[in-house]
Amino acid sequence: PKSSPSKFLKTRKELHKADENFASNAARTNSVTVYLGFNQTTIPEDEPDFTAAVSYLAHYLQNNGNGKVEFIASASSLPTSKFRSNESLAAERLKALEAALERGLSAQGLDINKISTIERKSIVSGPSYSQNSTLRKSDFIEFQYIRIIIN
């Protein structure tokens, strides 16, 4: 059975430990993670987590002139039904992340080319999937994400 969007959002909020200090937490760790749904490649550009990521990156670029940034897009090992493979799902998420960040930075008057070095990684992560596994779908949700790391 499909999980309801509100149930999923609650799970994502729990994963983020969503609180009012999300952006300041990002500043302490130099990274922002946004969790996605299974098979989701659309980046939730209007959600607070993503807008905090764009704001954090924009603030960093405005204060430092340029920077080295790592973009990571992950898919779990749970087989995808909408893509050729989990690797191709992660690769599509990576393309979508970069395009969304470019739009977000542009809206703040910044060019993504201010980032001096961009390291891109699309990965399949999490527990190994097998059909006779005791793992449930919920065991894989935390491996459906995009992450921005400023080095």
Side-chain angles (χ1 to χ4, degrees):
K2 290 187 176 182
S3 58
S4 71
S6 60
K7 182 177 180 185
F8 175 69
L9 289 174
K10 180 179 178 200
T11 303
R12 285 190 21 228
K13 286 180 183 174
E14 289 168 359
L15 285 168
H16 280 299
K17 298 180 178 86
D19 62 13
E20 298 153 270
N21 299 320
F22 183 75
S24 63
N25 287 342
R28 275 198 312 276
T29 63
N30 287 344
S31 70
V32 175
T33 302
V34 177
Y35 292 91
L36 303 173
F38 290 98
N39 295 313
Q40 179 183 351
T41 57
T42 304
I43 307 302
E45 295 180 50
D46 59 344
E47 285 191 18
D49 298 341
F50 188 77
T51 57
V54 171
S55 295
Y56 174 63
L57 184 55
H59 179 75
Y60 179 85
L61 292 174
Q62 288 167 341
N63 290 323
N64 297 292
N66 62 27
K68 180 180 177 192
V69 179
E70 188 174 349
F71 298 154
I72 302 172
S74 175
S76 71
S77 62
L78 186 69
T80 177
S81 58
K82 295 184 179 182
F83 295 86
R84 244 183 16 257
S85 65
N86 292 55
E87 290 82 3
S88 62
L89 169 57
E92 287 299 316
R93 286 178 172 164
L94 187 61
K95 285 184 211 172
L97 168 60
E98 194 160 356
L101 281 173
E102 190 167 359
R103 286 188 297 275
L105 290 173
S106 178
Q108 295 192 32
L110 294 169
D111 185 348
I112 198 165
N113 293 320
K114 282 193 78 153
I115 301 171
S116 60
T117 305
I118 300 175
E119 187 175 334
R120 297 163 179 88
K121 293 181 185 176
S122 56
I123 62 174
V124 175
S125 58
S128 200
Y129 174 82
S130 72
Q131 294 208 339
N132 56 2
S133 174
T134 58
L135 296 171
R136 297 179 307 245
K137 187 174 181 179
S138 61
D139 294 322
F140 296 92
I141 194 159
E142 68 185 280
F143 303 100
Q144 311 288 336
Y145 63 82
I146 54 170
R147 181 171 291 149
I148 303 161
I149 302 171
I150 298 177
N151 299 311

